[in-house]
Amino acid sequence: MTPKLSRTILATSDPETLAAEILRALKYRVGKDTTVATPYDWLTASINVVRDRVIDQWIRSTKEAYDEKEKRVYYLSLEFLIGRLMRDAFSNIGLWDDMRVALKSLGVEIDVVAGLEPDAALGNGGLGRLAACFMESMATVDIPAHGYGIRYQNGMFRQEISDGWQVELPENWLDHGNPWEFERRERSFEVGYGGHVESVTSKDGRLEKHVWKPVERVLAVAYDTPVVGWRGTRVNTLRLWSSMAIDPILLDAFNAGDHIGALRESNKAEALSRVLYPADSTAAGQELRLRQEYFFSTASLQDITQRHLSQFGDLLSLPDQAAIHLNDTHPAVAVAELMRLFMDEHGVDFDQAWDATKRTFAYTNHTLLPEALESWPVALFDRLLPRHLQIIYAINAQVLLEARSSGHFSDEQISRISLIQEGGERRVRMGNLAFVGSHSINGVSALHTELMKETVFADLHQLYPDRINNKTNGITPRRWLIQSNPGLTGIVRDAIGDKFLDDVEELTALDKFAGDAAFREQFAAVKRANKERLANYVSGRLGVKVDPSALFDIQIKRIHEYKRQLLNIIEAVALYDQIRSHPERDWMPRVKFFGGKAAPSYHNAKLIIKLANDVAKVINRDPSVRGLLKMVFVPNYNVSLAEIMMPAADLSEQISTAGMEASGTGNMKFGLNGALTIGTLDGANVEMKEHVGDENIFIFGLTANQVAERRANGYNPRAVIDASPDLSQALSMISTGVFSPDDPNRYRDLLGGLYEGDWFMVAADFDAYAATQREVDKVWSDSPDWYARAVRNVARMGWFSSDRTIRQYAKEIWNVAQ
Ligand code: 26V
């Protein structure tokens, strides 16, 4: 056994050498000299210089995994929200500072160049960003891992705000080329759709096997991006598939003069990897989405099985050498596809194939929202993937037999366990398929995991009680602290040394500095500088002036009713009203920031954005507010903007209806950067409270159990609203057009939802929320106390590192060494 790669910083070059290399790259890779080089050219040249070093380590990592026959992890995800890679790679490999000096010597500012790199937004929100943090952590904790996904040409849309409304524009992240990716034409696989299934029988009439004869075929071409772990120790691969017509220009048709017809096939094939579905809470339902799911599932499995076979010669040992992880149900069809490969392509019988399949897959659930649970009409499935449907029926027969023969399940339970939803249009339940095809099913926070056992998967949990387990989410401290908050990183290093850079749980050593006035002052100065940076950003982009000495209160995440941006906005209205009617009180200046995208078809979410902007306009212009309250909706929230906003926050809004946010990960990013949280006992907030301590977090509102109970026992929001003068007043201001004089009825339906049912318990939680906000004001007014709490948050957030999460997956699910 060769020893593991050494864990050393790979900064082997001095700035002069780097400068020379940058010039060489500019000349020979970009083809320019300094007189004509654009900032983009400098970006490409700089990335090329660092990339060379990354590649050396990449090849070593890959070879080592092969030579040592290490078990590999394959993380299948339809989303990887990776953001920019330059700072991440430069910093992890230890070259950021030297590159800064090198570029400076050439008259180039590294921050300007880094700001030009497109933000790779190949994901919607939490699930996609988690996949990106996991990729970085797997490289960091030295696990041989491959991420598999789709190379969308258009990732998440760019959001503009026009007259307060969200407008969606296409984001072309590949316009200037992508120096991080390597096209691997030789790694391309055929993907079939449609057609029929033939049965092959032996001479004596026995069924030998099934052969699927698809009618449509496209090619999946691999594009590889290196994923650099901390200190460059290991470099893993993110392999994204791009679709291509097998015969890009149908030559026959082209030659016959039908040029347009010849290109049609090619356009259709390429449409597969064109766009990311921009909805994260309503199952897409369209055929193209199912095609995408199968496209990347089969390409990845063909790649994995081919790699395994060429190294080990026998497919049945796959579960010993490969752990395949399903990031939500989006790749769940892979369960049926692996069965097909085993049985139809490699002649393995059903029982053996099923056993190996279950030992190979594990599945993470990321949401309990019923509308987000994927299911596909049986008819559609049959038309696109007829052989997979047969296999799903066979799996279902096996599972239902197990359930029935145990004698513990009622007919109703059996129908809930079934992979096929009956009654009305028959549908394939992807959650059930992922569950039965996996040896491990995990939730993403302790609360969410318990709720999974009680709700969506109650019956399957009873049938397979050992499978559900919890893996509380985490975030990578490299991107979310070291890179995005160098100021805080600097003062922490001075205070407690460098150990936390390699093991962020060492941050606990900072705890005692909460009581150190000098440290608190340094901390406040860093926070102030980060707030100034954000203030400059919003003044430059939006022309809104905000005071960096005010409390920065931030809610940034996808816009969704369950996340309750509406609760926050209504509270702002109530506060506005109070400030005006009680000017004599000692109000604490506050800026409320909002950011986030609404799914293009989500009407209420788009209205919430408009409301935030309408309210902001009135409040910000009202002189009687005297600048005590400002509201800003920051457009186009994405990973790069998060890197500016997280370090600038004093207060983090995590106010979802309890029981509905599976985990949240923004909550962790804020905490690690020293914001205090105001939040409900939902998702990972519950565990954050346990880690930071009750005094260092502001918890309010109904618990998940109380929400369930209220819903079950006839909750009457009207009575609640009537009993709260502040809420009634705020709602009447909105509904009488104070903020929408041009269209007083604009918010009638949105607010109507609060009176009729109020599913998300906005009214029920309002008074508790508002009272807690005044509590926040009180603590904020006592600066030493506030910053002591903030420092304790930083000190106690280390556990929420994705390194910890990944180690738990490695040990408890994947059974891989690290
Ligand atoms: C569902 C769908 C339905 C089909 C259309 C495209 C699409 C895309 C995504 C989803 C599921 C989104 C689920 C999700 O993002 N969940 C979030 O996962 C985070 C990481 O575990 C967690 O922190 C958040 O609480 C949870 O909302």
Side-chain angles (χ1 to χ4, degrees), residues 79 124 126-127 130 277 279-280 282-284 289 328 330 366-367 374 444 473 562-563 661-665:
E79 304 191 6
N124 270 285
L127 165 146
L130 186 76
Y277 272 84
D280 69 342
T282 6
R289 169 77 181 189
D328 218 294
H330 313 154
H366 294 270
T367 179
E374 288 190 297
V444 290
N473 282 167
Y562 86 79
K563 296 178 188 280
E661 188 70 272
S663 161
T665 45

Short mmCIF file of all heavy atoms in Angstrom, two decimals, residues 79 124 126-127 130 277 279-280 282-284 289 328 330 366-367 374 444 473 562-563 661-665, ligand 1:
data_model
loop_
_atom_site.label_atom_id
_atom_site.label_comp_id
_atom_site.label_asym_id
_atom_site.label_seq_id
_atom_site.Cartn_x
_atom_site.Cartn_y
_atom_site.Cartn_z
N GLU A 79 -28.81 18.61 -9.76
CA GLU A 79 -28.40 20.00 -9.52
C GLU A 79 -27.05 20.06 -8.80
O GLU A 79 -26.82 19.33 -7.84
CB GLU A 79 -29.45 20.70 -8.65
CG GLU A 79 -30.85 20.65 -9.24
CD GLU A 79 -31.85 21.56 -8.55
OE1 GLU A 79 -31.44 22.33 -7.65
OE2 GLU A 79 -33.04 21.49 -8.91
N ASN A 124 -31.28 24.96 -8.20
CA ASN A 124 -32.34 25.87 -7.76
C ASN A 124 -32.03 26.54 -6.44
O ASN A 124 -32.24 27.73 -6.28
CB ASN A 124 -33.64 25.08 -7.59
CG ASN A 124 -34.45 25.04 -8.86
OD1 ASN A 124 -35.08 26.02 -9.22
ND2 ASN A 124 -34.42 23.91 -9.55
N GLY A 126 -31.31 25.03 -2.09
CA GLY A 126 -30.65 24.25 -1.05
C GLY A 126 -30.12 22.90 -1.50
O GLY A 126 -28.97 22.54 -1.19
N LEU A 127 -30.93 22.18 -2.24
CA LEU A 127 -30.51 20.83 -2.63
C LEU A 127 -29.28 20.88 -3.54
O LEU A 127 -28.34 20.09 -3.40
CB LEU A 127 -31.70 20.14 -3.31
CG LEU A 127 -31.50 18.88 -4.13
CD1 LEU A 127 -32.72 17.99 -3.98
CD2 LEU A 127 -31.28 19.20 -5.59
N LEU A 130 -26.19 22.10 -1.55
CA LEU A 130 -25.70 21.03 -0.69
C LEU A 130 -24.81 20.08 -1.50
O LEU A 130 -23.74 19.66 -1.04
CB LEU A 130 -26.86 20.25 -0.08
CG LEU A 130 -26.45 19.20 0.95
CD1 LEU A 130 -26.07 19.87 2.28
CD2 LEU A 130 -27.55 18.18 1.19
N TYR A 277 -34.76 22.97 -14.82
CA TYR A 277 -36.12 23.31 -14.39
C TYR A 277 -36.04 24.25 -13.20
O TYR A 277 -35.45 23.92 -12.18
CB TYR A 277 -36.90 22.05 -14.04
CG TYR A 277 -37.59 21.48 -15.25
CD1 TYR A 277 -36.91 20.65 -16.12
CD2 TYR A 277 -38.90 21.83 -15.56
CE1 TYR A 277 -37.51 20.16 -17.27
CE2 TYR A 277 -39.52 21.34 -16.71
CZ TYR A 277 -38.82 20.51 -17.55
OH TYR A 277 -39.42 20.03 -18.69
N ALA A 279 -38.08 25.24 -10.96
CA ALA A 279 -39.04 25.10 -9.86
C ALA A 279 -38.45 24.17 -8.84
O ALA A 279 -37.85 23.16 -9.20
CB ALA A 279 -40.35 24.56 -10.38
N ASP A 280 -38.59 24.50 -7.57
CA ASP A 280 -38.01 23.61 -6.57
C ASP A 280 -39.07 23.10 -5.60
O ASP A 280 -38.76 22.51 -4.61
CB ASP A 280 -36.88 24.29 -5.81
CG ASP A 280 -37.39 25.40 -4.92
OD1 ASP A 280 -38.52 25.85 -5.14
OD2 ASP A 280 -36.65 25.79 -4.02
N THR A 282 -42.68 22.42 -6.91
CA THR A 282 -43.78 21.72 -7.57
C THR A 282 -43.16 20.77 -8.57
O THR A 282 -42.34 21.17 -9.39
CB THR A 282 -44.69 22.69 -8.37
OG1 THR A 282 -44.10 23.97 -8.33
CG2 THR A 282 -46.08 22.71 -7.82
N ALA A 283 -43.56 19.53 -8.45
CA ALA A 283 -43.01 18.53 -9.37
C ALA A 283 -43.29 18.99 -10.80
O ALA A 283 -44.35 19.52 -11.11
CB ALA A 283 -43.63 17.18 -9.08
N ALA A 284 -42.29 18.85 -11.63
CA ALA A 284 -42.33 19.46 -12.96
C ALA A 284 -43.45 18.88 -13.84
O ALA A 284 -44.18 19.61 -14.49
CB ALA A 284 -41.00 19.27 -13.64
N ARG A 289 -38.70 16.71 -18.46
CA ARG A 289 -38.05 16.52 -17.16
C ARG A 289 -37.74 15.03 -16.93
O ARG A 289 -36.65 14.68 -16.49
CB ARG A 289 -38.97 17.07 -16.07
CG ARG A 289 -38.58 16.73 -14.67
CD ARG A 289 -37.43 17.59 -14.17
NE ARG A 289 -37.08 17.19 -12.80
CZ ARG A 289 -36.25 17.85 -12.03
NH1 ARG A 289 -35.65 18.94 -12.47
NH2 ARG A 289 -35.99 17.43 -10.82
N ASP A 328 -32.17 13.18 -3.70
CA ASP A 328 -33.62 13.23 -3.88
C ASP A 328 -34.06 12.19 -4.92
O ASP A 328 -33.26 11.34 -5.33
CB ASP A 328 -34.09 14.64 -4.24
CG ASP A 328 -35.43 14.95 -3.56
OD1 ASP A 328 -36.44 14.28 -3.90
OD2 ASP A 328 -35.47 15.81 -2.69
N HIS A 330 -34.85 12.64 -7.97
CA HIS A 330 -34.63 13.00 -9.38
C HIS A 330 -33.89 11.92 -10.17
O HIS A 330 -34.19 11.73 -11.34
CB HIS A 330 -33.95 14.38 -9.47
CG HIS A 330 -34.59 15.42 -8.59
ND1 HIS A 330 -33.92 16.51 -8.10
CD2 HIS A 330 -35.84 15.50 -8.07
CE1 HIS A 330 -34.74 17.22 -7.34
NE2 HIS A 330 -35.91 16.63 -7.30
N HIS A 366 -35.25 15.37 0.58
CA HIS A 366 -35.01 16.77 0.93
C HIS A 366 -36.27 17.60 1.14
O HIS A 366 -36.18 18.81 1.33
CB HIS A 366 -34.20 17.47 -0.16
CG HIS A 366 -32.81 16.96 -0.33
ND1 HIS A 366 -31.74 17.49 0.36
CD2 HIS A 366 -32.31 15.98 -1.10
CE1 HIS A 366 -30.64 16.84 0.00
NE2 HIS A 366 -30.97 15.91 -0.89
N THR A 367 -37.40 16.98 1.04
CA THR A 367 -38.61 17.77 1.24
C THR A 367 -39.80 16.88 1.58
O THR A 367 -39.88 15.75 1.10
CB THR A 367 -38.95 18.63 0.00
OG1 THR A 367 -40.15 19.37 0.25
CG2 THR A 367 -39.14 17.80 -1.25
N GLU A 374 -42.19 13.48 -6.40
CA GLU A 374 -42.33 13.18 -7.82
C GLU A 374 -43.11 11.91 -8.08
O GLU A 374 -42.92 10.89 -7.42
CB GLU A 374 -40.94 12.98 -8.43
CG GLU A 374 -40.16 14.26 -8.58
CD GLU A 374 -38.92 14.03 -9.41
OE1 GLU A 374 -38.05 13.25 -8.97
OE2 GLU A 374 -38.83 14.60 -10.50
N VAL A 444 -32.46 15.14 6.36
CA VAL A 444 -31.37 16.11 6.39
C VAL A 444 -31.30 16.95 7.66
O VAL A 444 -30.49 17.87 7.77
CB VAL A 444 -31.40 17.00 5.13
CG1 VAL A 444 -31.01 16.19 3.89
CG2 VAL A 444 -32.78 17.65 4.92
N ASN A 473 -27.57 18.20 7.61
CA ASN A 473 -26.80 18.92 6.59
C ASN A 473 -25.63 19.69 7.18
O ASN A 473 -25.56 19.92 8.38
CB ASN A 473 -27.71 19.93 5.86
CG ASN A 473 -28.61 19.27 4.83
OD1 ASN A 473 -29.55 19.90 4.33
ND2 ASN A 473 -28.32 18.03 4.49
N TYR A 562 -44.09 28.75 2.34
CA TYR A 562 -43.74 28.09 3.61
C TYR A 562 -42.53 28.73 4.28
O TYR A 562 -42.34 28.62 5.49
CB TYR A 562 -43.55 26.57 3.42
CG TYR A 562 -42.17 26.12 2.98
CD1 TYR A 562 -41.12 26.03 3.90
CD2 TYR A 562 -41.90 25.77 1.65
CE1 TYR A 562 -39.86 25.61 3.50
CE2 TYR A 562 -40.66 25.36 1.25
CZ TYR A 562 -39.64 25.29 2.17
OH TYR A 562 -38.39 24.88 1.78
N LYS A 563 -41.72 29.42 3.50
CA LYS A 563 -40.55 30.10 4.09
C LYS A 563 -40.95 31.43 4.74
O LYS A 563 -40.16 32.04 5.45
CB LYS A 563 -39.47 30.32 3.04
CG LYS A 563 -38.89 29.00 2.49
CD LYS A 563 -37.85 29.25 1.41
CE LYS A 563 -37.39 27.97 0.71
NZ LYS A 563 -36.38 27.21 1.48
N GLU A 661 -39.54 23.18 6.60
CA GLU A 661 -38.20 23.35 6.03
C GLU A 661 -37.38 22.12 6.43
O GLU A 661 -37.11 21.91 7.61
CB GLU A 661 -37.55 24.62 6.58
CG GLU A 661 -36.23 24.99 5.92
CD GLU A 661 -36.40 25.47 4.48
OE1 GLU A 661 -36.39 24.60 3.58
OE2 GLU A 661 -36.56 26.68 4.28
N ALA A 662 -36.99 21.32 5.46
CA ALA A 662 -36.32 20.06 5.80
C ALA A 662 -35.10 20.30 6.68
O ALA A 662 -34.90 19.63 7.69
CB ALA A 662 -35.94 19.31 4.53
N SER A 663 -34.27 21.25 6.29
CA SER A 663 -33.10 21.54 7.11
C SER A 663 -32.80 23.04 7.08
O SER A 663 -32.76 23.71 8.10
CB SER A 663 -31.88 20.78 6.57
OG SER A 663 -30.68 21.37 7.05
N GLY A 664 -32.59 23.55 5.87
CA GLY A 664 -32.02 24.88 5.73
C GLY A 664 -30.50 24.72 5.81
O GLY A 664 -29.99 23.84 6.52
N THR A 665 -29.80 25.51 5.01
CA THR A 665 -28.34 25.53 5.10
C THR A 665 -27.85 26.98 5.15
O THR A 665 -26.77 27.25 5.67
CB THR A 665 -27.69 24.80 3.91
OG1 THR A 665 -28.34 25.21 2.71
CG2 THR A 665 -27.79 23.30 4.05
C1 26V B 1 -38.07 19.44 -6.63
C2 26V B 1 -38.31 19.65 -7.94
C3 26V B 1 -39.54 19.16 -8.49
C4 26V B 1 -39.47 19.05 -9.96
C5 26V B 1 -38.97 20.30 -10.58
C6 26V B 1 -37.56 20.56 -10.15
C7 26V B 1 -37.37 20.31 -8.73
C8 26V B 1 -36.21 20.74 -8.16
C9 26V B 1 -35.99 20.51 -6.84
C10 26V B 1 -36.93 19.87 -6.08
C11 26V B 1 -36.70 19.57 -4.67
C12 26V B 1 -36.21 20.69 -3.94
C13 26V B 1 -35.96 20.23 -2.58
C14 26V B 1 -35.00 21.11 -1.88
O1 26V B 1 -34.27 21.91 -2.43
N1 26V B 1 -34.97 20.92 -0.61
C15 26V B 1 -34.10 21.66 0.24
O2 26V B 1 -32.96 20.84 0.47
C16 26V B 1 -32.03 21.49 1.28
C17 26V B 1 -30.82 20.58 1.37
O3 26V B 1 -31.15 19.41 2.03
C18 26V B 1 -32.63 21.78 2.64
O4 26V B 1 -31.70 22.47 3.42
C19 26V B 1 -33.89 22.62 2.50
O5 26V B 1 -34.53 22.77 3.74
C20 26V B 1 -34.83 21.95 1.53
O6 26V B 1 -35.94 22.78 1.25
#
